Amino acid sequence: MRLLVVEDTPELGEQLVQRLTAEAYAVDLARDGEEGQFLGETEPYDAIVLDLGLPRIDGLSVLKHWRARGIATPVLILTARGAWHEKVQGIDAGADDYLAKPFAMEELLARLRALIRRTMGHSAPVLTCGPVTLDTRSGKVAVAGEAIDLTAYEFKVLDYLMHRQGQVVSRTELTEHVYAQDFDRDSNTIEVFVGRLRRKLGNDLIATVRGLGYRLGPAA
Ligand code: CA
């Protein structure tokens, strides 16, 4: 899953990137509203964390701009403490969720997980496909109840495919949702990760759809 964080406070921005990266997200950081607005409308994010108080273009205007252009990416806004009117304005402008600063990192993580799950049509925190389960809270993967160790990138690929199960996902799409913007991307490595996932989780789990990409589980 790939996230955009738009936050101008350097310490909080770095802290968010570090923690979200440790949680297996690919994260891009924008430090002002202009850069954030541009990235949000040109890159395919799975969710966006948007501070409202931003230099150059304020967060509310950025959000309105995205929604006016039909960008439906789920957005969680960060508001000033006690500023209830910011929450109302944010939600009216198209925010999907909000957190008031200062917030607990665990709460942000839980809200992001729920936001991404709901957007992709899953209500339960444990995703299941045949004998394979992926617990989005702990990041634990199991086959028929037996825990399987995955590397960070194997997990990222599986996590995306599990959220999109039944649908065909191209290698390009996987690449865009598994790597951050400044990463030296190579879509051939996706093939390697899929090969390893098949060895660890069973050959039948991920089908190759010739010329199009991969599909996890039966066609939806
Ligand atoms: Ca700010």
Side-chain angles (χ1 to χ4, degrees), residues 177-219:
H177 289 267
V178 160
Y179 295 113
Q181 195 196 25
D182 53 7
F183 201 89
D184 185 19
R185 296 175 192 177
D186 176 1
S187 69
N188 289 323
T189 58
I190 295 290
E191 219 174 308
V192 175
F193 298 139
V194 169
R196 289 197 210 141
L197 284 170
R198 282 176 174 146
R199 278 198 293 281
K200 290 184 179 183
L201 305 174
N203 263 325
D204 303 335
L205 182 70
I206 303 168
T208 298
V209 183
R210 197 173 287 275
L212 295 175
Y214 302 106
R215 190 191 64 237
L216 185 138

Side-chain angles (χ1 to χ4, degrees), residues 14-94:
E14 285 308 319
Q15 199 190 343
L16 283 167
V17 170
Q18 272 180 24
R19 184 59 198 269
L20 292 168
T21 303
E23 297 287 329
Y25 291 105
V27 190
D28 294 338
L29 174 66
R31 293 177 178 81
D32 63 60
E34 195 177 0
E35 189 191 3
Q37 181 171 293
F38 174 75
L39 285 174
E41 72 182 285
T42 51
E43 297 288 328
Y45 296 104
D46 297 298
I48 298 174
V49 178
L50 176 69
D51 184 30
L52 288 188
L54 290 170
R56 299 179 85 89
I57 308 176
D58 71 90
L60 209 55
S61 302
V62 171
L63 181 55
K64 285 178 182 163
H65 175 93
W66 287 335
R67 294 311 188 222
R69 293 181 156 238
I71 291 159
T73 311
V75 173
L76 184 151
I77 52 170
L78 302 177
T79 66
R81 187 161 52 119
W84 62 267
H85 56 279
E86 279 193 1
K87 296 172 194 163
V88 174
Q89 286 176 327
I91 290 164
D92 278 343

